[in-house]
Amino acid sequence: MTVVDRPAEQRFVLLRGDEELGELRYVRAPGQIELTHTGIDPEKREQGMGELLVTRALDEIGDDSTDRVIATCPFVAHVIEDNPAYRELLDR
């Protein structure tokens, strides 16, 4: 599975091959990225897909920008809380 950023659509997409399994929607503003919604297709859902999508998106944000993360999505907030390495993204 791969995670791809689609900036024109303001979302990260979880893919298996060409098949879209889920998305993490966001809104960018100067100096920040607000992560607003995580969703996995219920018919294709497997254990750990949501966390994989969120952690890979957070990794990309951390590596490719200095934007501060705003975790509006409760699932994203939960993943950050459970993975202390991502907390610094909230304080940029």
Side-chain angles (χ1 to χ4, degrees):
M1 285 186 269
T2 59
V3 174
V4 177
D5 186 10
R6 294 193 174 151
E9 300 171 9
Q10 294 194 54
R11 65 190 188 127
F12 289 93
V13 181
L14 178 66
L15 300 170
R16 181 183 294 131
D18 292 333
E19 180 182 26
E20 187 174 310
L21 305 173
E23 69 177 4
L24 171 55
R25 293 206 162 270
Y26 62 83
V27 177
R28 284 198 184 270
Q32 68 184 36
I33 182 169
E34 181 180 1
L35 304 176
T36 60
H37 175 74
T38 305
I40 302 295
D41 185 328
E43 294 179 10
K44 301 171 186 172
R45 187 174 303 170
E46 296 173 12
Q47 183 68 28
M49 283 182 164
E51 186 165 354
L52 177 69
L53 172 57
V54 171
T55 57
R56 288 198 183 160
L58 291 170
D59 289 341
E60 185 168 323
I61 294 164
D63 291 345
D64 295 344
S65 77
T66 58
D67 290 346
R68 179 171 62 98
V69 169
I70 300 171
T72 304
C73 172
F75 185 75
V76 173
H78 173 75
V79 170
I80 292 172
E81 182 66 29
D82 284 353
N83 296 278
Y86 294 119
R87 291 184 192 157
E88 65 91 13
L89 297 174
L90 303 174
D91 298 325
R92 291 178 157 188

